[in-house]
Amino acid sequence: MIGRLRGTLVEKNSPEILIECAGVGYEVTMPMTSIYALPELEQQATIYTHFVVREDAQLLYGFANKVERKLFRLLIKVNGVGPKLALAILSNMSADQFVSCVRHDDISAIVKIPGVGKKTAERLLIEMRDRLKDWQAQQIHLVSDDGVIPEQLSAELSQETTFVNDNKGDAINALLSLGYKQVQADKAVKSVYNRGMSSENIIRDALKSMI
């Protein structure tokens, strides 16, 4: 089981990254909320991982902290929710925002996530309600090694982050991989794009515009 990776961030092709650890490059799929928190390329990064073995593939999912990974693991236990949909949920809202939706039965926010219909949203609210009863206690227990607690992470995600290698096309491809349709992705990116924006900032603003 691969639980954590620490190494050099080599590539960022949202929602996938390549991180080199001791000479080995690991391809990792991450939610956008975690990608926003990554350092620039060629910098050292630490990610917490969830390893999935299937008959046709071995997949590695990564997260900026243990809290996001914990929520991902809770989400994939819900009937009808697989890793792809769980990543879409965490790409469209932070862990705290999702927990708030569950606690307030905010189905309207959840159904805006691509791939989540009304029935799936209702199932999420029902099944996650009990699992998130002690969420605050779990957050305290799952503080990441670098000392970043969820509240600090949420504040960081709201700040502007500068990355290299701007690419409008990468932003559209990332939205498509999250389940949005071509027309939705094109329209959202076009509405927020400004010259010089990084792909991560384009994706973040495009996602905000659709929620």
Side-chain angles (χ1 to χ4, degrees), residues 2 4-5 9 11-21 25-31 34-35 38 47-51 58-64 87:
I2 302 173
R4 186 180 72 173
L5 293 173
L9 187 60
E11 295 179 6
K12 281 194 291 186
N13 297 307
S14 304
E16 296 180 350
I17 69 161
L18 181 66
I19 184 170
E20 184 175 317
C21 306
Y26 294 88
E27 293 181 344
V28 185
T29 303
M30 303 180 70
S34 288
I35 288 180
L38 290 173
I47 58 176
Y48 296 88
T49 59
H50 178 82
F51 188 45
Q58 296 185 26
L59 306 172
L60 199 56
Y61 299 98
F63 307 89
L87 285 180

Side-chain angles (χ1 to χ4, degrees), residues 12 38-40 159-164 166 196 198 200-201 204:
K12 281 194 291 186
L38 290 173
E40 295 185 3
Q159 298 174 353
E160 194 69 19
T161 306
T162 301
F163 295 105
V164 296
D166 297 357
S198 69
E200 285 81 7
N201 285 335
R204 175 169 53 192

Side-chain angles (χ1 to χ4, degrees), residues 1 3 7 43 50 79-81 97 116 143 146 153 160 172 198:
M1 176 66 71
Q43 299 296 313
H50 178 82
N79 184 31
V81 177
Q97 289 172 331
V116 179
V143 170
D146 58 6
L153 178 61
E160 194 69 19
I172 293 175
S198 69

Side-chain angles (χ1 to χ4, degrees), residues 5-205:
L5 293 173
R6 177 178 293 169
T8 303
L9 187 60
V10 179
E11 295 179 6
K12 281 194 291 186
N13 297 307
S14 304
E16 296 180 350
I17 69 161
L18 181 66
I19 184 170
E20 184 175 317
C21 306
V24 179
Y26 294 88
E27 293 181 344
V28 185
T29 303
M30 303 180 70
M32 293 309 305
T33 46
S34 288
I35 288 180
Y36 299 149
L38 290 173
E40 295 185 3
L41 296 180
E42 302 304 324
Q43 299 296 313
Q44 290 293 301
T46 299
I47 58 176
Y48 296 88
T49 59
H50 178 82
F51 188 45
V52 174
V53 178
R54 301 191 323 213
E55 289 185 3
D56 58 342
Q58 296 185 26
L59 306 172
L60 199 56
Y61 299 98
F63 307 89
N65 54 67
K66 293 179 182 178
V67 173
E68 288 192 349
R69 183 177 65 180
K70 176 65 174 180
L71 183 56
F72 173 83
R73 287 173 170 172
L74 291 175
L75 284 169
I76 59 177
K77 291 180 180 179
V78 176
N79 184 31
V81 177
K84 184 177 181 178
L85 184 54
L87 285 180
I89 292 171
L90 289 173
S91 289
N92 282 271
M93 57 180 65
S94 68
D96 287 342
Q97 289 172 331
F98 177 78
V99 173
S100 178
C101 286
V102 172
R103 288 177 173 170
H104 295 91
D105 287 324
D106 188 0
I107 193 171
S108 62
I110 296 179
V111 295
K112 292 179 180 178
I113 299 171
V116 179
K118 185 177 180 181
K119 290 185 178 179
T120 301
E122 291 174 343
R123 191 182 307 119
L124 278 166
L125 292 177
I126 293 172
E127 294 192 30
M128 292 297 289
R129 194 174 294 123
D130 288 339
R131 293 172 184 168
L132 296 175
K133 279 183 178 179
D134 60 344
W135 182 248
Q136 287 300 120
Q138 292 182 51
Q139 283 182 312
I140 295 173
H141 176 68
L142 295 172
V143 170
S144 61
D145 289 352
D146 58 6
V148 178
I149 60 176
E151 291 78 9
Q152 291 173 324
L153 178 61
S154 296
E156 289 176 4
L157 295 181
S158 66
Q159 298 174 353
E160 194 69 19
T161 306
T162 301
F163 295 105
V164 296
N165 298 328
D166 297 357
N167 197 313
K168 186 177 178 180
D170 283 348
I172 293 175
N173 289 333
L175 294 177
L176 293 175
S177 71
L178 292 174
Y180 288 100
K181 295 181 180 179
Q182 184 73 53
V183 174
Q184 292 176 304
D186 290 341
K187 183 179 179 180
V189 169
K190 184 178 179 180
S191 69
V192 303
Y193 177 74
N194 287 307
R195 187 178 181 84
M197 290 178 70
S198 69
S199 58
E200 285 81 7
N201 285 335
I202 298 171
I203 296 165
R204 175 169 53 192
D205 290 349

